[in-house]
Amino acid sequence: MKPIAPPRRTTARTLFATGLLTGLALTGCTKSEDSSDDKASTQQGDSGQQVASPGTGSGPVCTLDTYGGKKLDLANATVGFSQSEKEANPFRIAETASIRAEAKKRGLKLLTANAQSQFSKQISDVQDLIAKGADVLVVAPLNSDGWEPVLRTAAARHIPIVTVDRKINATACKDYVSFIGSDFVEQGRRAADQMIEATGGKGDIAILLGSAGNNVTTERTKGFVDRIKAKAPGLEVVFQQTGEFAREKGQSVTENLIQSKPGIKGIYAENDEMGLGAVNALKSAGKKPGDVKIVTIDGTRKAVRGIVDGWIHGVIESNPRFGPLAFQTLDTFTRGDEVAQDIVIKDSSYTRSNAQSDLGKAY
């Protein structure tokens, strides 16, 4: 896997050029992709989670002239959305629901596909969306590499592509228009800060790594490890193993961890699902809340509830509600205005001080 350089902090505030609406409120999550649940999601109103403040800046931008293509009225376009993973993870449920809800709000024709966590299927899914007439594409990539077949097809038809949550290893404003997502290196740093606070900066800790082959895992690991080395040399990472962003795998890996490293003091889980699996393993091993400090990334309701219950020390948010921003990006771009190549989400965090009061903002 080829690591991807973290987004520059300056680009986090260079979301759009002049004319973009300020302050996009994001759509709440749902429990399924059904239209009835989308309606319920919309009725929840503002979740309190927003993107970084739009505005012009010094970051690289993309235009139709540079990318290639013609102006397009998004209102009359067909949008294709490719989801990467099974709708079992709350992050993916909320992500898909947000895309559907925003398309419905705008009255757009939306074609969707779910790769069911199979990369080969995602490639064929996107090819199929193009064959069915998608004029623009929103893609939540499973992996960062291997997108050449899709990029060639899209380029031949001048189809704009916006990727959400994960980057692809390709050239912005040539192979795709923009990436929308969190600053994953910064998420890792913030998780490390919480781990240092929880452990007092001393002891053995473990990392439950995300799936291999994407920039999220690489960057969340880099941010965490680099911050620990710089600020807490008394903390030692003695165990790293992938939990594949899945609760069951996170549980089984943690079961092995507490057998091989019974003195482990903290666990950094690179998403909430793995962290919740770790909690299950600790409970089964007879541990008590707080015996092992757990820090996770996502912001799902169950993980935030875990803070309230004492099993999780803290959660760094990773906002999945991309619908409003993804469609605004495409609308701005297809009108002929410039958009930023890196559009970074503003993420909050959950701690013991705000978990109970902010539980309603979790998804």
Side-chain angles (χ1 to χ4, degrees), residues 4-20:
I4 298 178
R8 294 178 58 190
R9 299 304 297 164
T10 55
T11 63
R13 295 171 176 82
T14 61
L15 304 187
F16 298 114
T18 304
L20 180 64

Side-chain angles (χ1 to χ4, degrees), residues 93-331:
I93 295 172
E95 183 177 62
T96 298
S98 179
I99 295 291
R100 286 184 178 272
E102 185 65 17
K104 183 177 180 180
K105 177 182 176 181
R106 290 171 173 263
L108 302 180
K109 181 178 180 181
L110 179 69
L111 304 176
T112 64
N114 191 306
Q116 301 294 312
S117 303
Q118 302 172 45
F119 185 62
S120 61
K121 183 177 185 306
Q122 186 167 36
I123 295 299
S124 62
D125 280 350
V126 180
Q127 298 277 28
D128 189 51
L129 290 172
I130 293 173
K132 288 180 177 178
D135 299 300
V136 295
L137 290 168
V138 179
V139 178
L142 182 63
N143 294 337
S144 295
D145 290 320
W147 285 93
E148 290 80 6
V150 164
L151 299 178
R152 284 194 298 268
T153 304
R157 303 191 185 189
H158 304 290
I159 296 175
I161 300 174
V162 167
T163 72
V164 295
D165 177 48
R166 295 175 184 173
K167 280 190 173 182
I168 59 175
N169 286 333
T171 304
C173 205
K174 176 178 177 292
D175 301 311
Y176 66 96
V177 174
S178 298
F179 159 73
I180 306 174
S182 298
D183 184 334
F184 304 116
V185 172
E186 181 64 16
Q187 287 179 338
R189 295 187 189 112
R190 295 170 66 197
D193 289 339
Q194 289 207 7
M195 182 63 73
I196 293 168
E197 177 190 28
T199 59
K202 297 180 180 179
D204 292 343
I205 56 176
I207 302 176
L208 301 185
L209 301 166
S211 302
N214 66 77
N215 70 302
V216 178
T217 298
T218 303
E219 294 179 12
R220 284 179 180 171
T221 303
K222 175 177 172 53
F224 183 85
V225 171
D226 287 353
R227 182 62 65 94
I228 292 295
K229 288 180 179 178
K231 294 185 65 175
L235 278 177
E236 184 178 359
V237 178
V238 297
F239 181 97
Q240 294 187 58
Q241 188 171 329
T242 181
E244 298 174 2
F245 286 135
R247 189 180 306 189
E248 297 79 7
K249 183 70 172 178
Q251 180 171 342
S252 64
V253 170
T254 303
E255 288 169 350
N256 295 332
L257 165 66
I258 56 183
Q259 289 292 326
S260 62
K261 305 287 184 181
I264 202 75
K265 194 170 182 180
I267 297 173
Y268 165 46
E270 293 185 340
N271 82 334
D272 285 354
E273 286 296 287
M274 293 188 296
L276 291 168
V279 169
N280 290 340
L282 294 172
K283 288 180 178 179
S284 297
K287 300 288 186 180
K288 296 179 181 179
D291 284 351
V292 178
K293 307 300 182 183
I294 299 176
V295 177
T296 73
I297 298 177
D298 265 351
T300 65
R301 189 158 301 201
K302 287 187 177 179
V304 178
R305 171 60 67 181
I307 300 176
V308 177
D309 295 339
W311 284 99
I312 295 177
H313 177 79
V315 176
I316 305 302
E317 181 193 50
S318 193
N319 185 1
R321 300 174 176 94
F322 293 109
L325 186 54
F327 283 99
Q328 184 63 67
T329 302
L330 287 170
D331 192 21

